Amino acid sequence: MLLPIDLGLFLALTAGMGCTLILGVWFWYDRREALLNDPRRIRSAFVCTRCGQTYLRPRLREEAPCPGCGWNNVRLKF
Ligand SMILES: [Zn+2]
């Protein structure tokens, strides 16, 4: 059995749920983009040309010394 409901109330509830959904998706994508573009997540990879050790350094940088032998290596580019 269907319950009688006021048309104005029905439209207000439907519009409210639609606005809530849009704001929720907007907030979710905003947070997701902020997390993906967090500069703390970006690391640079290096392979030492002297001893062959692979290592990572935080942030985007072009050169970093090898932790094993101290040789200054250039960042790997993919
Ligand atoms: Zn090295």
Side-chain angles (χ1 to χ4, degrees):
M1 182 175 150
L2 296 175
L3 296 173
I5 187 168
D6 185 39
L7 181 61
L9 179 63
F10 173 74
L11 291 177
L13 285 175
T14 306
M17 285 191 300
C19 288
T20 303
L21 179 70
I22 289 172
L23 287 176
V25 170
W26 182 8
F27 179 76
W28 187 78
Y29 273 105
D30 189 55
R31 287 297 310 150
R32 179 177 174 265
E33 186 174 317
L35 286 174
L36 289 177
N37 294 327
D38 188 358
R40 290 174 295 185
R41 290 187 69 236
I42 297 174
R43 292 183 183 152
S44 299
F46 300 89
V47 173
C48 182
T49 53
R50 181 183 276 176
C51 67
Q53 182 174 355
T54 304
Y55 57 100
L56 297 173
R57 286 292 173 259
R59 297 191 310 270
L60 193 62
R61 55 178 70 181
E62 289 301 316
E63 293 183 352
C66 172
C69 66
W71 187 257
N72 207 23
N73 295 290
V74 179
R75 175 174 66 95
L76 286 177
K77 295 175 183 170
F78 299 101

